[in-house]
Amino acid sequence: MLASPPMRGAVEGRTAVVAAAALVLGGALLLGDGSDAGPLFWIGSGAVLALALGLAVLPRPELGRAGIALVLLLSAFAAWSAATIAWSVEPDRSWDSFNRAATYAAVLGLGLLVRSPRTAAALLAVLFAVLIGWALLSAVVPALGPDVELSARLRDPVEYWNALALALAMALPIWLWLGRAVGAVGIFASVVALLLTQSRGG
């Protein structure tokens, strides 16, 4: 049976939001350039635009008390970060902090709009697989990285080993959730890459 026009529109809208979320998260994982403020600004802008698109074409998500508290606290933190620019000794650093908090809030909003845990997990699994594959390939073929200088720590494509290690650690719950052969391969690759970062935090 064919979907009715409103239902079809909702499916298309959700697909567009998932695609936008993939672009934002992919940019954050693969093009974040460590702690550089430039990419952070564009990633945050993309997240805000994707969230605006989702709110325009999809119904508002239903949140419980914990969800509402999370959204309000994160929004308040972003607003406070913006307010501190007015009296900060280093306004540029405060602006970076606001960009980061606003990006977190927008990505959270995208996650709430996607709704389906299975879809979100599949999306994250694909992005983490690309990240891990890129990182390990750059260790085997250093010329594929942004520069040809050998580094004692694995850092591509994030360009900062501690940030890469954090992303690799975040991938582990996804692999555990997937289970079976795919999860086992993902865990093994993540742990190997994590050890190569030589990151104490990771």
Side-chain angles (χ1 to χ4, degrees):
M1 184 174 66
L2 296 177
S4 61
M7 183 180 298
R8 192 183 313 121
V11 172
E12 292 174 352
R14 198 170 302 281
T15 302
V17 171
V18 171
L23 290 175
V24 170
L25 295 176
L29 287 173
L30 305 176
L31 305 174
D33 197 17
S35 58
D36 193 355
L40 175 64
F41 172 78
W42 292 111
I43 291 169
S45 299
V48 171
L49 290 175
L51 178 60
L53 168 67
L55 291 176
V57 301
L58 295 177
R60 302 295 186 271
E62 297 180 3
L63 303 177
R65 291 183 179 179
I68 293 174
L70 175 61
V71 171
L72 290 178
L73 288 173
L74 189 53
S75 300
F77 176 70
W80 175 255
S81 299
T84 60
I85 298 174
W87 64 79
S88 176
V89 177
E90 295 184 90
D92 291 345
R93 298 289 296 273
S94 297
W95 176 252
D96 292 344
S97 179
F98 165 68
N99 283 342
R100 192 172 293 108
T103 301
Y104 292 159
V107 171
L108 172 64
L110 285 174
L112 294 174
L113 289 174
V114 171
R115 290 188 180 182
S116 171
R118 189 171 298 277
T119 301
L123 171 61
L124 288 173
V126 171
L127 293 176
F128 281 131
V130 173
L131 173 71
I132 296 166
W134 187 336
L136 291 177
L137 189 61
S138 69
V140 177
V141 187
L144 295 177
D147 55 55
V148 296
E149 296 181 3
L150 294 178
S151 174
R153 299 171 184 262
L154 187 66
R155 56 189 177 88
D156 294 334
V158 182
E159 283 302 295
Y160 181 43
W161 51 87
N162 284 327
L164 176 59
L166 179 60
L168 293 169
M170 291 169 61
L172 293 175
I174 299 297
W175 304 130
L176 290 171
W177 186 81
L178 289 175
R180 299 185 180 181
V182 174
V185 172
I187 290 173
F188 176 77
S190 298
V191 171
V192 169
L194 187 58
L195 293 174
L196 292 175
T197 64
Q198 301 180 37
S199 168
R200 290 186 295 272

